[in-house]
Amino acid sequence: MILEDRVPTPQQAHGVWASLYRLGGLIGPAGVLAAVAFLAYLIGAMLAVRVVTVNAREAPKAARFWSTKTDLTPRVSQLAYDDLVSFLQDHERVPAAEPEVPATGRSEREDGRRLVVNLAVRDILGETRQLRTKLLIANYDLFNEYDRAVGEAEFRKNVAYALLGLTAALTWMQSPWWAFLLIVSTRLYVAGTGSERAANDVIVQAVVAGLITPLSMTGAAGVPAIPTGRSQ
C-alpha cells in the first residue's frame, strides 16, 4: 500500500519490474498468489513475536503491572499466583505472610516477602521451555491445553501488531476514520494477553499439583529456601 504509487504499470515497466510482469504471465494468477503468500509467510515468520515467557531474562517483561517494587511479577491470574504462593510457603521457599499491619502501611518485611515471591514465580515461569517438555511427558492432555493457549496468544497478538501497522498506513494514506480499527487491534491484543495468562496458569498449576518440578524447587537454581520462622 505504501509503495503502490512507485510500482510501474506493465506498459511502463522496465528492468526487474518488466521481468516480474513476464514471470507473472508465465506462471498465471494462481502461481503469483502462491508466490506472494509464501513471501508474506516468510516475512511474518521473521517478524513473529513470542508472547509467552520462556526464560528468566524475558520474565520481567511479562509483568501484570509495573512499578519499582512489582516489575518482577509474571503474567498469571491472581488465583494461580495465590496457589503458587501457598505452595511455596508449604515448601518453605518463601516466608509466610505476617498478620495485617496497622494503617501506617506495609512493613519492610512484607515488601521483602513480596519481592521474594515475585522472584520465585519468575524463576519458575523462567523455566517454561524446559517445563513444557516435562509437562508433555507427564500429562499429554494438559500439555495440549497449554499448547492451545500458547498458539492462540501468539496468533492474536501478532495479528494485533500487524493490524496496528495496517491501521497506521490506512490512516495516513486514506482517512483518519480508519483509526477506528485500533479498537479491533486492541481487542485482539487483550484476548492474546488472556490466552498468555491461561498458558502460564497451566504451568503454574502443574507445578502446584506436583506433575512437574522446576529446577528452582530442587535447589539447582532459583531462590534458596527461607525458613518461615525467620523474623529478619
Side-chain angles (χ1 to χ4, degrees), residues 8-177:
T9 64
Q11 294 75 22
Q12 300 173 333
H14 62 277
V16 175
W17 286 112
S19 298
L20 290 175
Y21 278 122
R22 288 195 299 270
L23 180 60
L26 289 174
I27 64 178
V32 172
L33 177 62
V36 173
F38 182 68
L39 178 61
Y41 166 78
L42 291 179
I43 295 174
M46 290 186 292
L47 299 179
V49 178
R50 293 186 62 88
V51 300
V52 177
T53 301
V54 295
N55 57 52
R57 178 174 297 178
E58 295 179 5
K61 301 178 183 178
R64 290 179 301 173
F65 51 88
W66 187 91
S67 75
T68 56
K69 295 182 179 179
T70 61
D71 61 332
L72 296 178
T73 305
R75 182 178 286 121
V76 294
S77 69
Q78 188 63 48
L79 178 60
Y81 184 81
D82 292 341
D83 286 347
L84 184 55
V85 170
S86 298
F87 175 78
L88 294 172
Q89 289 174 350
D90 292 341
H91 289 74
E92 296 189 342
R93 301 296 297 181
V94 299
E98 61 183 8
E100 291 295 328
V101 296
T104 54
R106 290 185 305 177
S107 66
E108 292 184 1
R109 174 179 169 79
E110 180 62 22
D111 289 339
R113 173 187 170 276
R114 181 180 178 87
L115 179 60
V116 171
V117 170
N118 288 344
L119 285 170
V121 177
R122 186 202 67 174
D123 286 345
I124 289 176
L125 288 183
E127 298 178 38
T128 301
R129 188 183 299 276
Q130 292 76 29
L131 292 177
R132 62 183 295 173
T133 303
K134 294 181 180 180
L135 184 61
L136 174 61
I137 299 173
N139 192 309
Y140 183 73
D141 292 335
L142 195 58
F143 172 82
N144 282 339
E145 182 69 17
Y146 166 81
D147 194 53
R148 178 189 62 79
V150 169
E152 290 179 355
E154 293 186 345
F155 175 78
R156 290 169 177 174
K157 280 198 169 182
N158 281 284
V159 170
Y161 298 146
L163 186 58
L164 179 63
L166 178 62
T167 301
L170 288 172
T171 303
W172 174 43
M173 300 178 60
Q174 301 293 331
S175 168
W177 290 102

